[in-house]
Amino acid sequence: MRRLPSGIFITGNSVLHRLDATVKIILFFILAAAAVLADSAAGYCLAVFFTSAAVLLSKTGLKAAAGNVMGMAWFFITVFLMNFLFFGSENTWFSFWIFHPSCVGMLQGIKAVSRIILFLILSNILNSTTPPMQVTGAIENLLFPLSFIKMPVGQIALILSAAIQFIPILSEEAQMIKKVQTARGAGFDSRSLFGRAKAVLALLVPLFISSFRHADELSLSMEARGCRAGSNKRNRTKVHIGRIEILLLAFCSMILAVQIFIF
């Protein structure tokens, strides 16, 4: 059976599924900020704790929450090496040309990779527990103040929501294209820099064509359903803030405050 890509909405009845979408996005930004601001061992332990709690509350499983993390191994290695080799020039182990590896750089690389992983898991949880239409409505609610300066809030929300929903789809297609090109002889594991560049080009060209095809199909589908640019129609959803929403907002705000002022 084909595995669903990470970030796709999964039907469920968990606590996070029942939360108001607008509140859920606010909680995501609060927890993402807490993860990014982590700068000590205790801070990262706290970040891992609330991320694990979010995975358990979503009831979507660890594979759905972190499914695309392993597929980005080369990206994480690149981020780590960029920090390890270039971050800081004091107390280096040795210096060679523009490379200055150090213990500080190694720790900075680990921190950067950890923050990205936690951010990806939280974003996957948000998308897995929130239907696309609710995401669009929530973004429009959050951007509503911009409508007073004549900003097309509804169109911006729709564009952002569509972009978010396309990320896991394009990620899955990239993996499929990579497998097809590997079967055709593309050297993704080649030791030659030219061979790898050629293989990456064989991946990027079909991926760009596929993304443009998806965009064209989406625009045709939206036009067929009566969506027109410049429409002034308002479909803002009502924000429901109950006891659970208030408790989670208070708890997550406390976590952010602890990360800022204590850890």
Side-chain angles (χ1 to χ4, degrees):
M1 184 177 179
R2 187 171 175 267
R3 180 181 62 85
L4 288 174
S6 300
I8 294 295
F9 173 67
I10 301 173
T11 304
N13 192 34
S14 67
V15 174
L16 294 186
H17 281 86
R18 297 193 300 269
L19 281 180
D20 180 84
T22 304
V23 175
K24 204 182 304 183
I25 291 180
I26 295 173
L27 292 173
F28 164 74
F29 282 120
I30 293 174
L31 293 179
V36 170
L37 292 173
D39 198 35
S40 64
Y44 279 102
C45 288
L46 180 61
V48 171
F49 169 76
F50 66 67
T51 303
S52 302
V55 173
L56 293 175
L57 288 175
S58 69
K59 294 183 179 180
T60 56
L62 185 59
K63 287 185 178 180
N68 60 345
V69 171
M70 294 304 297
M72 300 177 65
W74 282 109
F75 172 74
F76 296 139
I77 293 173
T78 302
V79 171
F80 173 78
L81 291 177
M82 291 292 288
N83 285 274
F84 175 55
L85 297 175
F86 301 107
F87 185 82
S89 57
E90 297 181 359
N91 300 322
T92 58
W93 294 345
F94 62 88
S95 294
F96 174 72
W97 193 31
I98 60 174
F99 305 115
H100 307 284
S102 65
C103 183
V104 175
M106 181 177 67
L107 292 176
Q108 182 64 25
I110 294 173
K111 290 178 181 179
V113 171
S114 301
R115 290 166 181 168
I116 296 172
I117 291 175
L118 292 173
F119 183 86
L120 286 174
I121 293 175
L122 290 172
S123 62
N124 284 337
I125 293 172
L126 174 64
N127 289 327
S128 299
T129 58
T130 314
M133 290 304 297
Q134 290 186 19
V135 173
T136 304
I139 294 175
E140 186 171 358
N141 286 336
L142 294 173
L143 297 178
F144 179 69
L146 296 178
S147 64
F148 294 108
I149 57 174
K150 307 300 181 181
M151 292 286 288
V153 173
Q155 296 178 37
I156 294 174
L158 184 61
I159 292 170
L160 291 176
S161 177
I164 292 171
Q165 297 303 321
F166 266 121
I167 291 173
I169 296 174
L170 292 178
S171 176
E172 187 75 4
E173 288 202 1
Q175 295 297 324
M176 293 175 60
I177 293 171
K178 183 178 179 180
K179 292 178 181 178
V180 171
Q181 298 292 43
T182 301
R184 293 175 177 175
F188 289 100
D189 297 327
S190 174
R191 295 184 178 180
S192 169
L193 183 61
F194 177 77
R196 288 194 177 185
K198 187 177 179 180
V200 170
L201 185 64
L203 171 65
L204 292 179
V205 172
L207 187 61
F208 271 111
I209 294 174
S210 176
S211 62
F212 285 125
R213 187 184 71 250
H214 280 303
D216 187 55
E217 291 173 352
L218 179 62
S219 65
L220 292 175
S221 177
M222 291 172 63
E223 287 181 1
R225 286 167 172 79
C227 182
R228 295 290 184 272
S231 175
N232 295 321
K233 186 178 179 181
R234 296 288 184 208
N235 290 314
R236 290 183 62 236
T237 56
K238 184 178 179 181
V239 180
H240 172 74
I241 300 181
R243 184 180 301 175
I244 296 178
E245 283 82 1
I246 293 174
L247 289 174
L248 287 176
L249 282 171
F251 180 71
C252 293
S253 299
M254 182 183 66
I255 289 175
L256 180 59
V258 169
Q259 290 283 45
I260 294 174
F261 299 109
I262 298 179
F263 295 151

